[in-house]
Amino acid sequence: MALTRKISRAMQRQVDLTTAVCQERLLSTHVRHVLALVDLVTDELPFDSAVDIYARILRLTPEQARNVGSRALAAIGRRSGLTEAEDLNLDLADDESDLDDSSDRGSDEGRFDAVFSRVRRRIRGRVKDDLRQRINLAAARAEDALFETHVQNALVFGKALAEEVPLHEAVDLYLDVMAIPEGVSDVIFNRALRVVADDVLPPLDAARVPRREVDGRAAGTGAPAATPVS
């Protein structure tokens, strides 16, 4: 763990409970966006293929893909008025094995081509630029939403542990518990602290922030503006 100090048993319990809440928030974000993708491609791809594509692009583990698929299936069952979501008869077993088998192929085939390598046979002759564009845009929207969920989750950790650890340690603990990759974790860390900074620090004096020209130079520096041609 990222904490540099011992915490009480009660606080460890709080960490466990908060982790569960944050995982549920992430799962809900995934489900919302996988359902949006399903709706976008419903005329071109079956449900299981859409879930498979989402899982690959968002780099979900087989367990995560199964959980997201099950939740999404249940949501569609409720949307359809079914009492048993299993009536939709989705089998993700093949998708799970394919996720494992394709883990080494993604770097060679490219991000999107690797996603389509298995389902191409199902939609041969129907893989259009429009479909590709919709999937890429939906994936970008999902990734951005997940990033924001991580930021909010980090703040939830900070609030839950505020009595025993400072904010930066709580946020660092969240990133460690969730195994957020380095690089992404740095951005989430800074964004979470920025949110708090905007709430507790005096606002920046706009007059003291150098105004930027269109080319990025500070105003008043560089060559003088050219005289307009009459």
Side-chain angles (χ1 to χ4, degrees), residues 3-198:
L3 288 179
T4 58
R5 67 190 73 189
K6 291 183 178 180
I7 60 177
S8 65
R9 179 173 298 180
M11 185 57 64
Q12 182 60 58
R13 175 65 173 168
Q14 185 65 46
V15 169
D16 294 339
L17 290 173
T18 307
T19 298
V21 169
C22 291
Q23 288 173 333
E24 181 64 26
R25 285 165 54 86
L26 286 169
L27 179 58
S28 295
T29 301
H30 277 302
V31 171
R32 184 168 67 253
H33 284 273
V34 81
L35 286 173
L37 177 61
V38 168
D39 289 341
L40 280 173
V41 302
T42 186
D43 293 334
E44 291 94 345
L45 294 172
F47 177 88
D48 58 338
S49 293
V51 173
D52 181 38
I53 287 173
Y54 181 92
R56 293 180 186 229
I57 293 181
L58 275 295
R59 299 172 296 279
L60 302 185
T61 66
E63 180 180 2
Q64 289 172 327
R66 182 171 60 251
N67 290 338
V68 170
S70 296
R71 285 288 188 91
L73 180 62
I76 290 179
R78 291 191 296 271
R79 183 191 298 176
S80 303
L82 299 178
T83 56
E84 294 292 336
E86 290 79 3
D87 290 345
L88 290 177
N89 194 29
L90 172 69
D91 183 5
L92 293 177
D94 292 339
D95 291 339
E96 274 188 41
S97 62
D98 286 332
L99 281 169
D100 290 331
D101 294 340
S102 65
S103 59
D104 295 331
R105 297 200 306 260
S107 59
D108 294 330
E109 294 182 292
R111 191 179 192 192
F112 194 86
D113 289 338
V115 169
F116 265 91
S117 62
R118 185 181 68 84
V119 301
R120 196 183 304 276
R121 64 181 179 271
R122 300 186 188 180
I123 56 176
R124 184 167 297 138
R126 301 171 66 187
V127 181
K128 303 176 183 178
D129 289 341
D130 177 64
L131 175 59
R132 182 186 298 264
Q133 177 79 343
R134 276 180 284 151
I135 291 174
N136 280 332
L137 290 174
R141 183 171 61 182
E143 289 195 283
D144 189 66
L146 288 165
F147 178 86
E148 290 301 327
T149 302
H150 278 305
V151 171
Q152 294 304 315
N153 280 353
L155 295 175
V156 169
F157 252 72
K159 184 176 181 180
L161 305 183
E163 293 185 3
E164 293 203 25
V165 298
L167 175 65
H168 70 277
E169 287 193 21
V171 172
D172 201 33
L173 175 61
Y174 171 77
L175 298 171
D176 187 60
V177 168
M178 294 296 178
I180 308 298
E182 188 176 355
V184 177
S185 63
D186 293 340
V187 179
I188 294 173
F189 181 91
N190 290 329
R191 183 68 64 84
L193 267 61
R194 166 63 188 272
V195 171
V196 176
D198 287 343

